[in-house]
Amino acid sequence: MYHTFDQDFTIRCFEKLVNIPSPVGYYVEMNPVIQELAASLGYEVAFDNKSTAYITLEGQDNSKTVMVGAHLDTVGLVVRRIAEDGTIRIRLLGSPNLSSLEGETVRIHTREGKTYTGLMTCQAHSIHVFKECRTMERNEDSMMILLDEKVSSKEDVVKLGIRHGDPISPEPRCQFTESGFLKSRFIDDKAAVACCFTMLKYLSEHQLRPKYRTILAFPYGEEVGIGGSYVPDGVSEFVALDIGLIGPDCDGNEYAVSICAEDNRAPYDYELTSRLIRMAEKLGLRYAVDTFFMYGTDADAAIKGGSDLKTGAFGMAVYCSHGMERTHIEGIHQTIDLLIAYVLGED
């Protein structure tokens, strides 16, 4: 790696973040943790009315303001209906891969502050009972949650305080292997958030200031396309730190940083994307430039919302997005290197 930073901190930070539930729109448990992490590095956090967290860094030149966004929301579920037999029917928050969630433990977060666990399963749940067990499509209508409570009716569930609209978070099941592979749900996008805090630690330890005033934004609505729809006044560039993808149309891999040139809506800014590529080349990073046609970022949402700014996007590439994801520490390294270079203006 070009910049010397604390890899152990990055992994510890990710493990801390990924074990705090934050499905789309659910911020009550995560925001205090973000404040705690920022304070430990000497930074303060401000929040807008959508509970997006912001950390503002004064630059060497404050005539220009740039923003880096990494979303805190994850894909998840919401209570759609409590069935008469006490099972819970679901709707999606974002687009989780339901096949990867079958058999998983999930947590239901009530508005009274209680948390209940349950088992995510298909209604054709057993090969010994249902002929269609292997063939039934796993979707919002066929999947359900069996509460880990002695309930047998809707009334039993309601007495627990569970209501329609309660958010549901799957267990992350984070593992970091000796060979450097990170396996977990929600690498999208909590690994990117960990990269941001690693960058902050690097700046703090080396007493460095960004080239321009820099705002770090951590919203909770990216997975439904609205996280970056609001951009603070004065921001002229918005770089989304988000996952890259691995597949037949992509050059990205787990050991490189993926620079997104176009997503499912439009190209990212030509000059800014070219600048990111030059930085990666100057640092000798492993990188790929890819187009992602079933994918969008908070920077994309900012443009859709009418903001007047340049946009870019990059991040570590993962296998199995929106399921049990995997990447490698080398790809995270490359992402942090490029992030530090962008913030310091090393072009």
Side-chain angles (χ1 to χ4, degrees):
M1 56 191 171
Y2 181 80
H3 305 94
T4 302
F5 48 82
D6 188 347
Q7 171 184 307
D8 290 339
F9 172 83
T10 307
I11 296 302
R12 291 196 311 272
C13 184
F14 173 77
E15 290 174 339
K16 187 179 186 70
L17 293 169
V18 82
N19 283 299
I20 304 296
S22 57
V24 177
Y26 183 67
Y27 49 79
V28 294
E29 296 185 46
M30 180 60 76
N31 272 349
V33 175
I34 293 299
Q35 288 180 298
E36 173 191 326
L37 281 170
S40 72
L41 299 173
Y43 299 96
E44 294 183 354
V45 180
F47 299 95
D48 65 16
N49 290 323
K50 296 193 298 181
S51 289
T52 297
Y54 298 98
I55 299 173
T56 300
L57 311 175
E58 296 303 312
Q60 301 171 45
D61 176 1
N62 286 334
S63 65
K64 176 179 177 178
T65 301
V66 304
M67 190 160 81
V68 175
H71 64 91
L72 282 166
D73 62 304
T74 67
V75 292
L77 309 161
V78 66
V79 175
R80 166 186 179 179
R81 175 170 58 90
I82 303 169
E84 293 302 323
D85 62 358
T87 60
I88 292 177
R89 300 307 174 119
I90 55 96
R91 285 190 66 82
L92 306 185
L93 287 175
S95 54
N97 182 346
L98 285 176
S99 295
S100 81
L101 287 178
E102 188 169 7
E104 183 59 272
T105 293
V106 298
R107 297 181 183 273
I108 300 172
H109 309 278
T110 75
R111 296 187 185 276
E112 288 74 34
K114 296 180 180 179
T115 299
Y116 296 97
T117 64
L119 178 70
M120 187 79 177
T121 186
C122 179
Q123 63 188 24
H125 53 80
S126 173
I127 60 172
H128 297 113
V129 179
F130 300 96
K131 291 181 179 180
E132 66 273 28
C133 176
R134 290 190 176 94
T135 59
M136 179 175 284
E137 181 182 353
R138 272 53 176 171
N139 57 35
E140 291 178 326
D141 295 323
S142 65
M143 299 295 281
M144 63 184 184
I145 295 171
L146 306 176
L147 275 176
D148 298 330
E149 302 289 334
K150 290 184 177 180
V151 295
S152 58
S153 68
K154 179 177 180 178
E155 290 72 23
D156 290 341
V157 176
V158 171
K159 287 178 182 177
L160 297 174
I162 295 172
R163 300 289 186 272
H164 293 172
D166 286 346
I168 303 167
S169 59
E171 287 292 297
R173 302 204 178 278
C174 174
Q175 300 176 58
F176 184 62
T177 73
E178 291 184 4
S179 52
F181 287 99
L182 180 61
K183 298 188 294 183
S184 180
R185 300 190 192 280
F186 317 135
I187 291 174
D188 176 12
D189 198 29
K190 291 184 178 179
V193 178
C195 289
C196 288
F197 278 95
T198 304
M199 179 272 292
L200 286 175
K201 188 172 189 288
Y202 179 88
L203 296 186
S204 178
E205 290 176 342
H206 293 82
Q207 298 182 336
L208 296 172
R209 297 175 71 182
K211 183 174 182 179
Y212 303 111
R213 178 186 288 114
T214 301
I215 300 173
L216 302 182
F218 305 103
Y220 288 92
E222 192 275 346
E223 297 295 358
V224 292
I226 61 173
S229 55
Y230 168 75
V231 176
D233 292 341
V235 173
S236 61
E237 288 184 4
F238 184 1
V239 172
L241 210 64
D242 212 328
I243 60 166
L245 306 178
I246 296 173
D249 292 329
C250 302
D251 286 337
N253 61 76
E254 296 171 284
Y255 313 107
V257 57
S258 293
I259 299 172
C260 180
E262 183 180 14
D263 66 12
N264 62 0
R265 184 168 289 111
Y268 287 81
D269 182 77
Y270 185 86
E271 185 279 326
L272 176 53
T273 301
S274 299
R275 197 186 333 147
L276 293 171
I277 294 169
R278 289 198 307 272
M279 288 179 185
E281 291 176 343
K282 180 179 179 180
L283 294 178
L285 302 182
R286 295 183 66 175
Y287 76 95
V289 182
D290 275 324
T291 56
F292 304 137
F293 297 121
M294 293 184 285
Y295 166 106
T297 71
D298 280 328
D300 172 89
I303 292 297
K304 186 180 179 182
S307 297
D308 178 20
L309 42 70
K310 294 184 177 184
T311 58
F314 65 89
M316 69 296 298
V318 305
Y319 275 103
C320 310
S321 61
H322 287 192
M324 179 57 73
E325 298 166 340
R326 194 185 84 162
T327 192
H328 194 273
I329 191 63
E330 290 181 16
I332 295 173
H333 280 171
Q334 309 300 302
T335 300
I336 296 170
D337 266 330
L338 186 54
L339 175 61
I340 292 173
Y342 171 74
V343 168
L344 294 179
E346 296 176 345
D347 57 343

